[in-house]
Amino acid sequence: MQTKIFIKLAVFSLDEEELKIFLSNGNLPEIDSEKSTGLDSAAKTLLKKVAGIDSSFHYQEQLYTFFDRSKDQRIIDVVYFILIPFYMVKKYLKQNWYCADDKLPISKYNQKIVNYSLQRLRWKVEYTNVVYSLLPEEFSFSRLQSAYEAILGRNLDKRNFRKKIMSLNLLKSTGRKNSFGQARPAELFSFRKRDLTYVKVI
C-alpha cells in the first residue's frame, strides 16, 4: 500500500469577536511533503502561498499527525496549528474565512482535524499567553476578554477576568485611549512580550 505524507494547516484568526478558520478551495490548506525541504519551513511557505501571510506575523506549532486510509493508499497528515491577527488577512481572501465550529463545508475527516485543533487552542489559551498572536499590537481590555470568550465559547466574568489578567503582569498600558465611536474612550494595552509564555490564565 502506498503511503503519502502531507503537511496540513489549521489557521485561526479573530474577526469581529468571532473565531474563524481559513479554507483554501473549500479544504484545509495542504502540501505534499515530498515537495518540501522540511516540515516547519514547508508550513510557513504554504501559509504564505495560500493566505499571503508572512512568517513573522503568526504563531506556529506542529499539532498532531492524523491518518486516513483508502483502498489503495494511506494518507499521513502532519497538521500545523497557526494563529494570525486578522488585520494581516488580504482583503481578497476574506471570503475564505469561516466560523470555526463543527459545521464547516468540509469532509468528516477534515472536520475531525478542525475539532481537535479547536480543543488544543482552547487548552492553550488557558495556560499560555498565546492569544497575543490573534490581537493587534494595541487593544482594549474588552477586546482582550472578547478574544478569550470567542475561543473558549463561553462568557467570562468581567471583574474576575480583569483581576486575574492584571495579576499575571502580562500587559502594560500604552498610555493611549481608543476614542472610536460614541462610547467612553477605553485604555489601550499591549503585551509585555509577544512570544509564548506559560502561565495559568483561566
Side-chain angles (χ1 to χ4, degrees), residues 87-105:
Y87 70 85
M88 291 300 303
V89 173
K90 305 296 183 183
K91 288 184 178 180
Y92 70 93
L93 288 175
K94 287 189 176 181
Q95 71 273 13
N96 291 64
W97 291 84
Y98 295 77
C99 181
D101 56 24
D102 59 358
K103 298 177 182 179
L104 289 165

Side-chain angles (χ1 to χ4, degrees), residues 166-200:
M166 297 309 289
S167 73
L168 297 174
N169 202 33
L170 295 173
L171 307 180
K172 61 181 179 181
S173 174
T174 66
R176 290 180 286 277
K177 292 187 177 182
N178 183 348
S179 57
F180 293 112
Q182 307 251 338
R184 179 180 175 183
E187 183 178 8
L188 295 177
F189 294 86
S190 62
F191 283 94
R192 293 184 183 276
K193 294 192 302 181
R194 291 185 74 88
D195 51 29
L196 195 65
T197 300
Y198 288 87
V199 57
K200 184 170 175 54

Side-chain angles (χ1 to χ4, degrees), residues 21 25 31 46 58 60 156 160 166 169 176 187 196:
I21 190 167
N25 297 318
I31 188 172
L46 178 58
H58 74 268
Q60 174 176 308
L156 299 171
N160 289 340
M166 297 309 289
N169 202 33
R176 290 180 286 277
E187 183 178 8
L196 195 65

Side-chain angles (χ1 to χ4, degrees), residues 22-159:
F22 181 82
L23 298 181
S24 176
N25 297 318
N27 291 293
L28 296 176
E30 66 177 22
I31 188 172
D32 191 328
S33 66
E34 292 181 359
K35 299 178 181 179
S36 62
T37 56
L39 297 181
D40 289 357
S41 61
K44 292 178 181 179
T45 300
L46 178 58
L47 182 64
K48 176 72 173 177
K49 179 180 178 181
V50 299
I53 304 298
D54 186 84
S55 61
S56 60
F57 292 100
H58 74 268
Y59 172 81
Q60 174 176 308
E61 178 183 328
Q62 189 179 127
L63 182 66
Y64 198 69
T65 300
F66 291 82
F67 299 90
D68 188 25
R69 179 176 296 181
S70 63
K71 293 181 179 180
D72 55 355
Q73 66 179 352
R74 183 175 63 168
I75 302 297
I76 299 175
D77 284 317
V78 180
V79 178
Y80 277 82
F81 164 83
I82 292 177
L83 307 176
I84 65 170
F86 203 71
Y87 70 85
M88 291 300 303
V89 173
K90 305 296 183 183
K91 288 184 178 180
Y92 70 93
L93 288 175
K94 287 189 176 181
Q95 71 273 13
N96 291 64
W97 291 84
Y98 295 77
C99 181
D101 56 24
D102 59 358
K103 298 177 182 179
L104 289 165
I106 53 178
S107 68
K108 289 183 179 180
Y109 171 70
N110 281 299
Q111 185 69 63
K112 177 183 176 181
I113 293 175
V114 171
N115 293 346
Y116 181 76
S117 301
L118 275 170
Q119 185 59 65
R120 284 288 295 272
L121 173 57
R122 288 167 181 153
W123 288 338
K124 203 159 194 75
V125 299
E126 290 181 357
Y127 67 85
T128 75
N129 67 335
V130 77
V131 74
Y132 75 82
S133 59
L134 292 165
L135 293 169
E137 291 287 338
E138 298 183 0
F139 48 86
S140 65
F141 209 93
S142 62
R143 184 166 184 179
L144 176 67
Q145 181 170 336
S146 294
Y148 276 93
E149 291 177 338
I151 295 167
L152 296 171
R154 58 187 172 89
N155 294 327
L156 299 171
D157 181 82
K158 184 176 181 180
R159 184 177 178 181

